[in-house]
């Protein structure tokens, strides 16, 4: 059984053959001391880099030409002497030293430009297609590394189902009668290619070191494809917030994988920008926040680094990492073997969304609705999972269908059965809408089509935040409906603008004002559902529309009569609740990082401001016997009020954990 590491280092080492003296400053003693200072318990070591060099004396493949030692072997021995878990890293997608000689194996786009780097006149890597003889080379490299060195696992990078029009893929399309201009037909080849690669790797590994961990990294866990997740023995959620992924990505990914029971790591980087950002400075508080966020979402922790070409780890960096990982080490006993406590399921548009919404920002089709949903629920302190269409919905009190969920007959029947068993649904936009749709009828509406007024307006029948206004703009479009039952409650009305902005028609600086005339219902409540015509989740993700957020939270308040957590913490304070069943306790995580915008688009955490004391009420079935702070082990007073456990969390900065034990513990201070 794989034990997830909590203090992992992913050590890149991608180095040009033009740099002399590779590894010349490597010292096993210095290497070990840095890892000890860093409180590291696990490491990924580079056996083959993106440039294609091997970092050991290979008999079959080119070793880095200026390296005079077995660098991989020396690092491996040092890590073993410290008792670390060790993964061997091999780049699969890139092997740059043969790119020119074997250009026929390179991936090509439909216009025949190369992948990753479009040509040979631009500096950068070129990705290889494993639907070519290149796969034999990859398998031989894996075989050689595992034959020479005993490791606990392998990390295979730059892989996945790739769109490719290289000679091998085009020849196969021709042989099978597949139209290469039809990407749906070509997907047969691309999927077959990836799963054949998986099969060959597994066969190679099991013939030499059966049972070790295998992880295939594509940089993202596809929420629509459980089969792609299952080919990995564990998951490493590559998500460098300041390196292009942003802070939403890890939250969305972790909330998707957390309910499957597969071990997973969160992976950030020591870099300010992306991988290989030598000299980039990430503030220690930013690192502390990101790592605490991993713990709060049930993940082990991984920090990416790249060793200097001369082979020396940065002592100051590893002392900083050690300060962060020392905190993790103290908290670790309350973070192992946890399951997330949740009450709401968000059906991911990456899994079940397939509608093109015309006339609005195309980012609607790129996951913005999922991002908006996790942001709003996180900020509203509502506990949730992100789901795919094949998941079991019965665990959840409320299912959210954000903006553009497309109903297949199977999904519609599944949601109808969920309603029949007492579940509740909150749907927005075109989700669940279709002509003569049974589910739409159960949601209290009849669908008339897309409203053509963009933007349009929402007239609420309730107060939105602190503002009592006639109407609020909605930038991302909406549907038109009729309420099909007079007993249902209309919570808001749709208003149109006087006209859409165009060359012939425009008014004022930005968009046209509302006509203040009701076009029809905008938000309808039944005893088991709320439906809103607007794309509320993409509104929040793309426009930061606070009115959309408050519409969602009002609907959730209607549907979620008894939330697990009730608190008045500010929206930027993040909460999660984990259960350690084998220890007889819950663990509440409370977290805040003060993100500020630096540069044009980069969020940075530099300051960790104190979070003021706040009362929290928690509703769980187990009878709580002890409440204390982690890792301080300080008891805090608590009481019960109408079935809710109530206590006040004292002031803290960054991350505070609270143990709620339903078996009596005597290990904390009173």
């Amino acid at each position: 059984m794989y034990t997830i590491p909590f203090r992992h280092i992913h050590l890149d080492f991608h180095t040009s053959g033009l740099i002399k003296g590779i590894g010349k400053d490597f010292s096993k003693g210095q290497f070990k001391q840095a890892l000890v200072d860093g409180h590291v318990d696990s490491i990924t070591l580079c056996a083959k880099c993106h440039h294609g060099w091997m970092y050991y004396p290979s008999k079959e493949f080119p070793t880095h030409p200026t390296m005079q030692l077995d660098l991989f072997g020396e690092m491996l021995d040092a890590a073993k002497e410290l008792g670390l878990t060790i993964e061997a890293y091999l780049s699969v997608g890139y092997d740059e030293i043969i790119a020119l000689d074997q250009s026929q194996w390179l991936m090509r786009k439909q216009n025949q430009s190369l992948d990753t780097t479009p040509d040979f006149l631009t500096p950068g890597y070129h990705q290889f297609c494993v639907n070519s003889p290149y796969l034999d080379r990859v398998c031989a490299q894996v075989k050689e590394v595992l034959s020479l060195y005993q490791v606990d696992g392998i990390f295979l990078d730059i892989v996945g189902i790739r769109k490719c029009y290289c000679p091998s893929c085009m020849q196969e399309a021709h042989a099978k009668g597949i139209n290469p201009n039809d990407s749906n037909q070509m997907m047969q080849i691309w999927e077959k290619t990836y799963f054949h690669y998986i099969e060959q790797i597994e066969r190679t590994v099991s013939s030499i070191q059966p049972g070790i961990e295998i992880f295939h990294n594509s940089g993202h866990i596809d929420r629509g494809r459980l089969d792609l997740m299952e080919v990995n023995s564990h998951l490493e959620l590559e998500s460098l917030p300041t390196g292009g992924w942003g802070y939403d990505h890890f939250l969305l990914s972790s909330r998707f994988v957390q309910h499957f029971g597969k071990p997973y790591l969160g992976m950030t980087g020591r870099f300010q920008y992306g991988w290989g950002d030598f000299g980039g400075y990430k503030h220690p508080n930013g690192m502390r926040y990101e790592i605490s966020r991993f713990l709060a979402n049930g993940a082990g922790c991984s920090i990416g680094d790249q060793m200097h070409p001369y082979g020396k780890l940065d002592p100051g960096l590893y002392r900083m990492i050690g300060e962060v990982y020392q905190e993790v080490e103290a908290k670790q006993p309350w973070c192992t073997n946890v399951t997330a406590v949740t009450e709401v399921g968000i059906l991911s548009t990456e899994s079940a969304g397939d509608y093109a919404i015309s006339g609005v920002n195309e980012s609607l089709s790129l996951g913005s609705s999922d991002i908006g949903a996790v942001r709003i629920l996180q900020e509203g302190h509502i506990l949730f999972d992100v789901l795919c269409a094949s998941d079991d919905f019965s665990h959840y009190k409320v299912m959210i269908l954000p903006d553009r969920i497309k109903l297949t007959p199977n999904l519609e029947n599944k949601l109808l059965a969920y309603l029949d068993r007492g579940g509740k649904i909150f749907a927005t936009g075109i989700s669940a809408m279709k002509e003569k749709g049974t589910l739409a009828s159960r949601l209290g509406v009849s669908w008339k089509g897309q409203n053509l007024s963009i933007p349009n307006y929402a007239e609420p029948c309730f107060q939105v935040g602190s503002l009592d206004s006639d109407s609020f703009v909605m930038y991302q479009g909406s549907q038109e409906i009729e309420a099909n039952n007079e007993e249902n409650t209309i919570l808001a009305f749709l208003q149109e603008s006087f006209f859409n902005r165009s060359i012939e028609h425009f008014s004022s600086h930005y968009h046209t004002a509302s006509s203040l005339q009701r076009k029809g219902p905008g938000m309808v409540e039944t005893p088991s559902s709320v439906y809103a015509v607007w794309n509320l989740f993409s509104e929040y993700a793309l426009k930061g529309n606070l009115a959309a957020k408050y519409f969602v939270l009002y609907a959730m308040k209607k549907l979620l009569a008894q939330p697990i957590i009730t608190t008045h913490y500010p929206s930027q304070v993040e909460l999660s609740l984990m259960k350690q069943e084998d220890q007889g306790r819950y663990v509440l995580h409370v977290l805040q990082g003060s993100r500020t915008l630096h540069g044009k688009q980069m969020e940075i955490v530099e300051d960790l401001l104190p979070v003021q004391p706040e009362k929290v009420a928690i509703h769980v079935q187990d009878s709580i016997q002890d409440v204390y702070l982690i890792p301080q082990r300080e008891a805090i007073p608590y009481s019960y009020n109408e079935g809710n456990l109530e206590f006040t969390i004292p002031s803290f900065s960054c991350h505070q954990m609270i143990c709620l034990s339903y078996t009596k513990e005597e290990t904390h201070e009173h």
Side-chain angles (χ1 to χ4, degrees), residues 224-288:
R225 296 292 301 271
L226 295 186
D227 54 342
L228 301 183
M229 188 171 69
E230 289 301 325
V231 300
N232 299 293
S233 48
H234 68 283
L235 302 173
E236 302 192 28
L237 308 182
E238 184 180 6
S239 190
L240 283 63
T242 58
W245 284 260
Y247 279 100
D248 294 311
H249 181 266
F250 172 73
L251 182 62
L252 187 51
S253 297
S254 63
R255 294 303 176 95
F256 174 66
V257 305
Q258 68 183 7
H259 64 284
F260 289 110
K262 187 179 283 288
Y264 58 100
L265 287 164
M267 181 192 291
T268 185
R270 52 76 43 113
F271 316 103
Q272 179 182 1
Y273 288 95
W275 294 100
D277 176 26
F278 291 105
Y281 176 68
K282 174 174 285 187
H283 197 282
N285 285 339
M287 184 72 75
R288 185 181 171 207

Side-chain angles (χ1 to χ4, degrees), residues 447-469:
W447 181 56
K448 296 173 64 178
Q450 182 175 331
N451 181 266
L452 299 180
S453 179
I454 299 174
N456 57 31
Y457 292 81
E459 176 194 339
C461 303
F462 54 92
Q463 183 163 320
V464 176
S466 59
L467 183 62
D468 185 10
S469 180

Side-chain angles (χ1 to χ4, degrees), residues 624-627 636-640 645-648 661 664:
I624 302 302
Q625 304 295 314
D626 272 311
V627 179
I636 55 177
Y638 67 93
S639 62
Y640 272 95
L645 175 74
E646 295 183 347
F647 53 90
T648 296
S661 177
K664 191 70 175 177

Side-chain angles (χ1 to χ4, degrees), residues 11 13 21-35 43 45-46 55 66-82 307-314 318:
L11 190 60
F13 198 64
I22 295 300
K24 73 180 183 66
D25 291 341
F26 179 81
S27 159
K28 184 186 285 189
Q30 192 271 338
F31 188 81
K32 289 171 65 176
Q33 188 60 54
L35 299 180
I43 193 166
L45 299 171
C46 186
Y55 291 96
T66 73
M67 185 181 71
Q68 301 299 316
L69 75 164
D70 180 357
L71 183 59
F72 177 75
E74 290 288 318
M75 292 190 295
L76 184 73
D77 288 345
K80 285 185 175 181
E81 289 171 14
L82 293 175
M307 189 164 64
H308 188 275
Y310 289 169
K312 184 178 180 180
L313 297 180
D314 184 333
Y318 279 82

Side-chain angles (χ1 to χ4, degrees), residues 407 412 416 432-442 445-449 484:
L407 289 183
E412 184 170 27
L416 290 170
M433 297 296 107
K434 63 180 183 179
E435 292 182 11
K436 300 179 182 179
T438 304
L439 183 57
S441 179
R442 290 287 295 273
V445 302
S446 298
W447 181 56
K448 296 173 64 178
N484 62 14

Side-chain angles (χ1 to χ4, degrees), residues 83-113:
L84 273 55
T85 302
I86 303 161
E87 278 185 327
Y89 174 99
L90 292 95
S91 178
V92 171
Y94 301 139
D95 202 329
E96 193 61 25
I97 55 175
I98 65 165
L100 273 172
D101 290 341
Q102 303 294 346
S103 60
Q104 73 276 15
W105 296 349
L106 293 173
M107 287 175 54
R108 292 189 179 272
K109 297 180 180 179
Q110 198 164 15
N111 65 3
Q112 292 302 293
S113 64

Side-chain angles (χ1 to χ4, degrees), residues 105 130 214 258 271 275 305 358 365 439 575 656:
W105 296 349
V130 291
I214 305 175
Q258 68 183 7
F271 316 103
W275 294 100
D305 183 23
S358 61
S365 63
L439 183 57
L575 282 81
Q656 181 63 67

Side-chain angles (χ1 to χ4, degrees), residues 431-622:
S431 295
M433 297 296 107
K434 63 180 183 179
E435 292 182 11
K436 300 179 182 179
T438 304
L439 183 57
S441 179
R442 290 287 295 273
L443 301 185
V445 302
S446 298
W447 181 56
K448 296 173 64 178
Q450 182 175 331
N451 181 266
L452 299 180
S453 179
I454 299 174
N456 57 31
Y457 292 81
E459 176 194 339
C461 303
F462 54 92
Q463 183 163 320
V464 176
S466 59
L467 183 62
D468 185 10
S469 180
D470 291 334
S471 61
F472 296 88
V473 66
M474 294 293 174
Y475 304 94
Q476 298 294 316
S478 75
Q479 305 302 307
E480 286 187 26
I481 58 167
E482 293 178 347
N484 62 14
N485 191 325
E486 293 182 357
E487 296 180 1
N488 297 333
T489 304
I490 296 178
L491 302 177
F493 290 93
L494 171 67
Q495 297 177 359
E496 293 183 330
S497 63
F498 287 105
F499 43 75
N500 286 347
R501 190 176 180 89
S502 67
I503 296 174
E504 294 83 7
H505 306 87
F506 76 92
S507 177
S508 192
H509 300 285
Y510 199 48
H511 54 249
T512 313
S514 172
S515 67
L516 301 181
Q517 301 298 309
R518 292 176 174 175
K519 181 66 175 175
M523 193 164 168
V524 177
E525 178 190 13
T526 77
S528 60
S529 68
V530 174
Y531 169 73
V533 298
W534 301 280
N535 300 305
L536 295 175
F537 297 105
S538 68
E539 280 282 340
Y540 195 56
L542 299 175
K543 292 292 188 178
N545 189 340
L546 283 172
K549 171 182 170 178
Y550 291 134
F551 271 58
V552 171
L553 293 179
Y554 184 79
M556 295 306 297
K557 186 176 181 180
K558 288 279 188 178
L559 296 171
L560 206 57
Q562 177 61 73
I564 294 173
I565 295 178
T566 304
T567 184
H568 294 292
Y569 269 125
S571 62
Q572 292 307 304
V573 174
E574 305 170 40
L575 282 81
S576 65
L577 185 64
M578 297 291 166
K579 189 173 186 178
Q580 268 188 315
E581 193 149 6
D582 60 345
Q583 300 294 323
R585 61 197 182 198
Y586 296 90
V587 179
L588 175 67
H589 294 260
V590 190
L591 177 70
Q592 186 197 34
S594 302
R595 303 182 213 161
T596 57
L597 192 65
H598 288 227
K600 290 185 177 180
Q601 293 182 319
M602 182 181 292
E603 284 186 299
I604 296 289
V605 174
E606 181 178 3
D607 299 313
L608 294 175
L609 304 178
V611 179
Q612 297 305 307
E614 185 59 62
K615 184 178 179 180
V616 174
I618 293 187
H619 187 83
V620 292
Q621 298 301 316
D622 299 287

